[in-house]
Amino acid sequence: MEKLILLMVIFGTCCAAPQDLSGKVFVFPKETNTDCVVLMTPKTRFNSVTTCLRYQSDLSRTYGIFSLATPTFKNAFLIYKINAESDIELNARDGKAYFTSLKLDANTWHSMCATWDSSTGLAQLWVDGKATIKKFVQTGAIITAPIAILGQEQDTYGGGFDAKQSFIGMITDFHMWDTVIPTCEIRRYMEDKHFSPGNVFSWKALDFQVKGQVLMELVSEVM
């Protein structure tokens, strides 16, 4: 396809500098227990977390969307679709909560934000502009150097991938903050308006590595 960029980067090879990926999407084209995008950050403490992303998939099985692991917690923070129904499992510090009866149609672009407050242990999802109820997951900060991955679910620190849990589809506009951002900011993200970029990971300045075959396309080519 025109302007298709094939990223075949060895796992240990770093980008020279954070890249502005505005107007681009990562394409995860196949079932695999290796291919993923690894995100780098110097931060080693997270008192709270907010993540936002847009994605599309046609999978009916379980799959990991975003996985952050530490040496202590393999699921320090995890967004995981758990079955053919529209249910999401959200993990923090190996605790988990299930958000059910969501509208996550296949072959449709979805905007999703997830929040978790370490002081209360409460988590919440936002899907396509609608907020879920809040549910208890786990309290306590996430500490020590994380490994953050798009497209796989870590069963060990930086690995343990299962092909049957791999993501097949497209991801764009990924941001992560080390706070629970205000509702107004989440709404701006959902409505694709101006918002404050992530201070942990920002799509506008993303430091990443690619493991295996991951494609990048222009948003205009796939939306």
Side-chain angles (χ1 to χ4, degrees):
M1 182 176 287
E2 184 180 1
K3 296 182 179 179
L4 183 67
I5 304 170
L6 178 60
L7 298 177
M8 297 286 290
V9 183
I10 297 174
F11 183 59
T13 302
C14 295
C15 297
Q19 297 188 31
D20 185 351
L21 299 185
S22 299
K24 298 177 182 178
V25 302
F26 283 129
V27 179
F28 301 81
K30 64 182 181 179
E31 186 170 281
T32 170
N33 66 351
T34 56
D35 300 359
C36 63
V37 177
V38 184
L39 310 177
M40 272 78 70
T41 177
K43 290 183 177 290
T44 58
R45 183 181 180 92
F46 306 90
N47 291 323
S48 295
V49 172
T50 301
T51 61
C52 289
L53 57 83
R54 308 186 208 282
Y55 78 97
Q56 182 182 33
S57 179
D58 67 352
L59 291 174
S60 59
R61 59 165 172 77
T62 59
Y63 55 86
I65 301 173
F66 172 67
S67 171
L68 186 146
T70 68
T72 305
F73 301 107
K74 67 177 183 180
N75 294 326
F77 193 82
L78 170 69
I79 303 172
Y80 187 72
K81 188 171 182 295
I82 58 176
N83 52 35
E85 303 300 325
S86 293
D87 299 346
I88 293 289
E89 176 186 315
L90 184 62
N91 290 246
R93 286 174 52 98
D94 288 350
K96 65 182 67 175
Y98 299 98
F99 295 86
T100 62
S101 302
L102 305 172
K103 187 173 178 57
L104 295 172
D105 295 338
N107 289 310
T108 301
W109 278 99
H110 297 290
S111 296
M112 180 182 293
C113 293
T115 68
W116 168 69
D117 187 329
S118 69
S119 63
T120 64
L122 294 180
Q124 185 177 37
L125 287 182
W126 288 72
V127 178
D128 298 333
K130 297 182 178 180
T132 66
I133 64 172
K134 293 187 177 183
K135 293 189 174 182
F136 179 81
V137 179
Q138 187 61 273
T139 57
I142 298 169
I143 302 171
T144 68
I147 296 178
I149 289 176
L150 293 172
Q152 296 282 357
E153 190 267 327
Q154 301 176 72
D155 282 334
T156 61
Y157 182 53
F161 304 149
D162 181 342
K164 295 301 182 182
Q165 297 175 346
S166 64
F167 176 79
I168 302 175
M170 296 177 283
I171 293 176
T172 189
D173 291 344
F174 180 80
H175 292 263
M176 177 173 163
W177 298 259
D178 59 2
T179 62
V180 174
I181 65 174
T183 296
C184 62
E185 286 286 292
I186 293 177
R187 292 192 184 281
R188 290 189 190 111
Y189 177 91
M190 290 284 164
E191 296 168 2
D192 202 18
K193 296 180 179 179
H194 176 75
F195 63 92
S196 300
N199 68 334
V200 179
F201 302 119
S202 169
W203 199 249
K204 296 178 181 296
L206 196 65
D207 192 356
F208 67 94
Q209 302 171 346
V210 172
K211 182 179 180 183
Q213 182 182 1
V214 176
L215 309 177
M216 188 180 289
E217 287 194 347
L218 298 176
V219 169
S220 59
E221 298 283 340
V222 299
M223 285 188 177

